[in-house]
Amino acid sequence: MKEVFISIIFNVGVSILLKISGNKRYNNNLMQIITYNYLFSAIFCYCLYPVNIKNLDYSNAPWFIFISLSFLMPFLFIIIGKCIKSIGIAKTDIAQRMSLLITILSAFLFFKENYTLIKLLGLSIGFFSIFFIFHTSQKNNKQSNQWFLPLIIFLGLGLVNILYKLISSNQNFTFTTSSLFIFSGSFIFSLIFNIVEKQKFQITNIFWGLGLSILNFGNVIFYLKAHVALKNNPSIVFATMNLGVIILGSLIGIVFFKEKMSKLNYFGLALALLSILIITLL
């Protein structure tokens, strides 16, 4: 189980780094940080999992999925960074983990996965919890005007998970090989955006990008290691990962960054945790 807990720490670490890097005193450029993150991620992926690019069967490559993910990944990273800055780590991490509802719903509808009344109940509770988690008082105009950010994250990451599920069924490209193409594509899309927007180069963003890449890549590596170590108990990995990120992310956001949550938000959080338990363990 240690692999799961390390992955949780890396995952929440990504949110903490984005929160700190967004502080005005550092004057960082989020898009540049994300660009360097994908550059280093591609390098790490190639060094740790070398690929013989010349011998790959490109005729059967899922290019549409690779290109879609290469655009979606940096786009969602930008939204996540803005969401953390506007409504905090706690709610942003919850939005990310609750995207599993979209994935599971698609598994029932499109991938012909068997469903039970218990799982449908869990899904219903999960979707119901979203209203309470992101409910904001009309007095808090800043947060009430940013309600669409967690919604984009929820839907966007759900789509990303579906596309990765499609990749996993491709026999010609392994997960790590596909990740190399996606990281490289994400770097290219991010770089193009920087050029089009005429972003001013800042050397400090390289180091922030490297830090983000280490945390992001570490999260993926240890999550995969957890599935290998507990290959007979995937539901335990899935449940522990999602519950752990929501709980740790919420605690850090509330305790260390003094993020405010209403009674309705806490009620929504409790419903979200119950939903994950029902879906993954029952």
Side-chain angles (χ1 to χ4, degrees):
M1 285 292 287
K2 66 179 184 296
E3 292 87 355
V4 182
F5 295 121
I6 294 173
S7 181
I8 290 170
I9 293 170
F10 274 121
N11 191 295
V12 177
V14 169
S15 297
I16 295 173
L17 185 144
L18 288 173
K19 177 82 172 182
I20 296 173
S21 68
N23 193 301
K24 291 182 179 179
R25 67 178 177 177
Y26 293 116
N27 193 31
N28 288 320
N29 184 304
L30 178 60
M31 192 65 237
Q32 283 188 30
I33 292 174
I34 292 170
T35 302
Y36 292 123
N37 156 66
Y38 283 117
L39 172 62
F40 289 119
S41 292
I43 292 172
F44 292 155
C45 191
Y46 185 79
C47 291
L48 291 174
Y49 303 99
V51 178
N52 191 334
I53 298 176
K54 293 182 180 179
N55 292 337
L56 292 175
D57 182 8
Y58 291 102
S59 62
N60 292 313
W63 292 114
F64 177 76
I65 298 177
F66 286 166
I67 294 171
S68 298
L69 284 170
S70 295
F71 172 78
L72 277 172
M73 300 282 273
F75 169 74
L76 287 172
F77 238 135
I78 294 172
I79 300 299
I80 289 170
K82 291 182 179 295
C83 194
I84 288 173
K85 185 176 180 180
S86 61
I87 69 172
I89 290 176
K91 291 183 178 181
T92 304
D93 275 350
I94 294 171
Q96 292 183 70
R97 306 322 301 184
M98 292 307 289
S99 64
L100 72 94
L101 298 178
I102 301 292
T103 311
I104 293 171
L105 184 61
S106 71
F108 295 155
L109 297 177
F110 305 115
F111 298 105
K112 309 302 180 183
E113 184 174 314
N114 294 328
Y115 63 88
T116 63
L117 291 177
I118 291 294
K119 287 190 181 294
L120 288 178
L121 174 64
L123 276 174
S124 300
I125 293 174
F127 282 111
F128 190 59
S129 73
I130 293 170
F131 171 78
F132 295 102
I133 292 169
F134 302 115
H135 177 273
T136 54
S137 170
Q138 292 297 320
K139 296 179 182 179
N140 193 339
N141 291 324
K142 182 179 178 181
Q143 286 198 11
S144 62
N145 291 333
Q146 301 297 323
W147 62 269
F148 62 92
L149 292 176
L151 179 62
I152 293 174
I153 293 171
F154 172 69
L155 296 174
L157 285 179
L159 177 58
V160 166
N161 291 334
I162 293 171
L163 292 175
Y164 264 113
K165 186 174 180 65
L166 291 172
I167 283 178
S168 66
S169 63
N170 189 294
Q171 301 298 318
N172 298 297
F173 286 76
T174 64
F175 180 84
T176 50
T177 301
S178 297
S179 295
L180 175 62
F181 278 93
I182 294 166
F183 287 147
S184 301
S186 297
F187 168 68
I188 293 170
F189 271 108
S190 302
L191 186 62
I192 290 172
F193 181 86
N194 277 286
I195 294 172
V196 171
E197 292 294 313
K198 297 179 180 178
Q199 301 286 339
K200 184 179 178 182
F201 173 76
Q202 296 172 273
I203 193 169
T204 54
N205 290 323
I206 296 176
F207 300 104
W208 285 101
L210 175 61
L212 181 60
S213 178
I214 292 171
L215 292 171
N216 196 33
F217 200 77
N219 166 44
V220 173
I221 293 298
F222 280 96
Y223 184 62
L224 292 175
K225 285 180 178 290
H227 275 292
V228 172
L230 299 167
K231 59 184 178 182
N232 295 322
N233 297 286
S235 61
I236 298 295
V237 177
F238 201 58
T240 307
M241 183 67 189
N242 286 281
L243 292 170
V245 170
I246 289 177
I247 294 170
L248 182 60
S250 298
L251 284 174
I252 288 176
I254 295 166
V255 175
F256 293 98
F257 293 101
K258 309 302 180 184
E259 296 171 3
K260 303 295 183 182
M261 289 184 69
S262 66
K263 291 180 179 179
L264 285 178
N265 296 153
Y266 282 115
F267 177 63
L269 173 59
L271 288 178
L273 296 175
L274 176 61
S275 170
I276 293 173
L277 284 172
I278 291 174
I279 291 170
T280 56
L281 297 181
L282 297 180

